[in-house]
Amino acid sequence: MAAGGYSMTPLHDVLQLRVRYSETDQMGTFYNSRALEWFECGRTELMRRRLGLSYAELEARQVFLPLVEAHLEFQGGARYDDLLDVASTVAMSGRARLRFDVQINQNGSGKPVVRGCTMHAFADADGKPIRPPGWFLELMNKAAGISST
Amino acid sequence: MAAGGYSMTPLHDVLQLRVRYSETDQMGTFYNSRALEWFECGRTELMRRRLGLSYAELEARQVFLPLVEAHLEFQGGARYDDLLDVASTVAMSGRARLRFDVQINQNGSGKPVVRGCTMHAFADADGKPIRPPGWFLELMNKAAGISST
Amino acid sequence: MAAGGYSMTPLHDVLQLRVRYSETDQMGTFYNSRALEWFECGRTELMRRRLGLSYAELEARQVFLPLVEAHLEFQGGARYDDLLDVASTVAMSGRARLRFDVQINQNGSGKPVVRGCTMHAFADADGKPIRPPGWFLELMNKAAGISST
Amino acid sequence: MAAGGYSMTPLHDVLQLRVRYSETDQMGTFYNSRALEWFECGRTELMRRRLGLSYAELEARQVFLPLVEAHLEFQGGARYDDLLDVASTVAMSGRARLRFDVQINQNGSGKPVVRGCTMHAFADADGKPIRPPGWFLELMNKAAGISST
């Protein structure tokens, strides 16, 4: 799922976050669905920092990225107040989808916590599928250092 | 906060729900913010069953009830899979606000878990304050068995 | 992922639940991570109703089922207050894992909302892997109508 | 509720956080219960930074601070990706309770979003009330610059 080789692409970002008390469950570690919320935090910062276009701005331009598929592999625990590294990479997947690969590790020890990927469609404000806008693809290419000529 | 005398008003309803695993935290009981989500479940069912107008329909008519104030008193624990009674009562509070009083107890033992109240403004789709619509007040009066002549 | 042929196994259950307001996001549908919470509600009721052993009791016997893998496919929207059918099936996957397949549909129209599966390890209270207890496997076989002689 | 005069006490801290997509609801702003989760984030950082004792360490020493009362006043909206200042102050309330006052504002504009307070009991690992440990009170006094002689 989460591929290696993150360093090969500039469309990569690492966000640090702490496990909130509200994210734990009675097993003492984080509740599983929180991983999808952390993936979203990673996507948000990756877009802001690497594409120079926040997801909020993207939605303001009537481009939405609904989640169509998600895969998660739980690799190790994380407890309340643990500091985590959320490493995300983005790339187009085929012509119509955006794919984020995420690896969450313990900051410090580097112990793996969760890895996974999310696939996103492009949609308008009504949720109808649209083609990825040309300006968005150019933004991706520019950020990746790829000439679009 | 949560007043007694629930039986005095027909604008009262009891919803049963179970504590979800996702709602627990590492202390072994439910995480505190879940109480506000359960209050919302109580409001939703009270409106559907007693007013004959679901909150979804209310929003479809462009009437929104944003929360402006909430008070919570945590009285006792509730663990994963516990069955709870969420008893809610609604009334106007002054001319412009709707107030829900809620008492959550353990089903069976009746042990108190949380009580509290939420105060709601009336707003349009843009979040701007509006007067409570006449038809809504009539609905409230009708449901309460009060003649509006 | 979610296999067809649910009717072939008695280890199947359908839970109804309503989308909570707290589960929506600004796109107007449910936020994606809620699907994993609904999957958990489905597992909880399936175990109670079909195995005759609630997950709470299982944990009380020091048997935990941490999630190790999850796959989700988002098929269609669901809005606040929509009534959903959460259809879950459980089976052993190999010798050491429990697998739940879930299909969530709109109640009434039957329109698909999410499908997916979750894989669970068997662990003790400290999170260490254990073999599935014999009595648990017997319970599964008994519930499935399979003679264990 | 949230008192002024924050600057009068060193037991005060400001945490910045961004509204997550998962924290929005279909009204387009944050869902109300998230405020209690943000209050908790504020408490966590205040304790780490001002008391020099993280809440995780406090629990490791078998001292728990269950929430017994919460009051919230919703003052203004906050949308996905908004940067918020969570300003928290802590003080003993009587002999047996800890009180946090919180004011959440929009970073930049300073527009108020939510204010409130939470009251906490002192409890052991089983949830039974205990007296605030002497060493904890000394830590509070020391952090506040109060000589305990």
Side-chain angles (χ1 to χ4, degrees), chain B residues 51-123:
Chain B
L51 294 190
L53 179 81
S54 74
Y55 183 66
E57 288 172 79
L58 195 67
E59 285 201 353
R61 294 191 192 186
Q62 306 297 306
V63 179
F64 295 77
L65 299 175
L67 187 60
V68 288
E69 218 179 297
H71 304 276
L72 299 119
E73 195 182 323
F74 296 87
Q75 303 167 298
R79 305 183 78 83
Y80 163 60
D81 214 34
D82 282 357
L83 191 60
L84 305 181
D85 290 332
V86 182
S88 312
T89 308
V90 66
M92 287 298 294
S93 171
R95 286 171 166 270
R97 296 205 163 167
L98 203 61
R99 174 186 171 131
F100 289 84
D101 283 283
V102 189
Q103 173 69 53
I104 302 182
N105 293 328
Q106 289 279 356
N107 180 271
S109 74
K111 279 191 189 165
V113 175
V114 199
R115 71 174 179 177
C117 70
T118 58
M119 303 283 283
H120 302 259
F122 289 79

Side-chain angles (χ1 to χ4, degrees), chain B residues 68, chain D residues 2 30 32 34-36 38-39 71-78 84-85 87 102-106 111-116:
Chain B
V68 288
Chain D
F30 66 96
N32 60 70
R34 308 310 165 207
L36 282 174
W38 299 339
F39 283 13
H71 304 277
L72 299 119
E73 194 182 324
F74 297 88
Q75 303 168 297
L84 305 181
D85 290 331
V102 190
Q103 173 70 53
I104 302 182
N105 293 329
Q106 289 279 356
K111 279 191 190 165
V113 175
V114 199
R115 69 173 181 180

Side-chain angles (χ1 to χ4, degrees), chain A residues 68-146:
Chain A
V68 289
E69 220 178 296
H71 304 276
L72 298 120
E73 194 182 324
F74 296 88
Q75 302 168 297
R79 306 182 79 82
Y80 163 60
D81 214 35
D82 283 356
L83 191 61
L84 305 181
D85 290 331
V86 182
S88 310
T89 308
V90 66
M92 288 297 295
S93 171
R95 286 171 166 271
R97 296 206 163 165
L98 203 60
R99 173 185 171 133
F100 290 85
D101 283 282
V102 190
Q103 172 69 53
I104 301 182
N105 293 329
Q106 289 279 356
N107 180 273
S109 75
K111 279 192 189 165
V113 176
V114 198
R115 69 174 180 178
C117 69
T118 57
M119 303 283 283
H120 302 259
F122 289 80
D124 65 16
D126 299 320
K128 291 202 179 112
I130 56 170
R131 282 193 195 186
W135 57 262
F136 181 82
L137 297 175
E138 277 179 41
L139 211 62
M140 290 275 292
N141 285 338
K142 199 179 143 198
I146 298 168

Side-chain angles (χ1 to χ4, degrees), chain B residues 1 26-27 31-34 36-37 40 43 55 59 64-74, chain D residues 1 26-27 31-34 36-37 40 43 55 59 64-74:
Chain B
M1 293 193 296
Q26 67 179 44
M27 227 184 266
Y31 182 73
N32 58 71
S33 76
R34 309 307 165 209
L36 282 174
E37 299 175 26
E40 169 228 298
R43 292 196 297 274
Y55 183 66
E59 285 201 353
F64 295 77
L65 299 175
L67 187 60
V68 288
E69 218 179 297
H71 304 276
L72 299 119
E73 195 182 323
F74 296 87
Chain D
M1 293 192 296
Q26 67 179 45
M27 228 184 264
Y31 182 73
N32 60 70
S33 75
R34 308 310 165 207
L36 282 174
E37 300 174 26
E40 170 228 298
R43 292 196 296 274
Y55 183 66
E59 284 200 355
F64 296 77
L65 299 175
L67 187 60
V68 289
E69 220 178 298
H71 304 277
L72 299 119
E73 194 182 324
F74 297 88

Side-chain angles (χ1 to χ4, degrees), chain C residues 13-109:
Chain C
D13 191 61
V14 182
L15 168 71
Q16 288 186 0
L17 54 77
R18 279 191 189 276
V19 179
R20 298 176 177 183
Y21 207 96
S22 59
E23 294 169 340
T24 63
D25 67 20
Q26 67 179 44
M27 227 184 266
T29 61
F30 65 95
Y31 182 74
N32 58 71
S33 75
R34 310 307 165 208
L36 281 175
E37 300 175 25
W38 299 339
F39 283 13
E40 170 227 299
C41 294
R43 292 196 296 274
T44 292
E45 290 309 320
L46 168 56
M47 291 185 65
R48 186 197 328 282
R49 294 180 194 165
R50 299 300 166 199
L51 294 190
L53 179 82
S54 74
Y55 183 67
E57 288 170 80
L58 195 67
E59 285 200 354
R61 293 192 194 184
Q62 307 298 306
V63 179
F64 296 78
L65 299 175
L67 187 60
V68 288
E69 219 178 299
H71 303 277
L72 299 119
E73 195 182 324
F74 297 88
Q75 303 167 298
R79 306 182 78 83
Y80 162 61
D81 215 33
D82 281 357
L83 191 61
L84 305 181
D85 290 332
V86 181
S88 311
T89 309
V90 65
M92 286 299 294
S93 171
R95 285 172 166 270
R97 296 204 163 167
L98 203 60
R99 174 186 171 132
F100 289 85
D101 283 283
V102 190
Q103 173 69 53
I104 303 182
N105 293 329
Q106 289 280 356
N107 180 271
S109 75

Side-chain angles (χ1 to χ4, degrees), chain A residues 16-101:
Chain A
Q16 288 185 1
L17 55 77
R18 278 191 190 277
V19 179
R20 298 176 176 183
Y21 207 97
S22 59
E23 294 170 339
T24 63
D25 67 20
Q26 68 179 45
M27 228 183 265
T29 62
F30 66 95
Y31 182 74
N32 59 70
S33 76
R34 309 308 166 208
L36 281 175
E37 300 174 26
W38 299 338
F39 284 12
E40 171 227 299
C41 295
R43 292 196 297 274
T44 291
E45 291 309 320
L46 168 56
M47 290 184 67
R48 187 198 327 281
R49 295 180 193 166
R50 300 299 166 197
L51 294 191
L53 179 82
S54 74
Y55 184 66
E57 290 171 78
L58 195 67
E59 284 201 353
R61 294 191 192 185
Q62 306 298 305
V63 178
F64 295 77
L65 299 175
L67 187 61
V68 289
E69 220 178 296
H71 304 276
L72 298 120
E73 194 182 324
F74 296 88
Q75 302 168 297
R79 306 182 79 82
Y80 163 60
D81 214 35
D82 283 356
L83 191 61
L84 305 181
D85 290 331
V86 182
S88 310
T89 308
V90 66
M92 288 297 295
S93 171
R95 286 171 166 271
R97 296 206 163 165
L98 203 60
R99 173 185 171 133
F100 290 85
D101 283 282

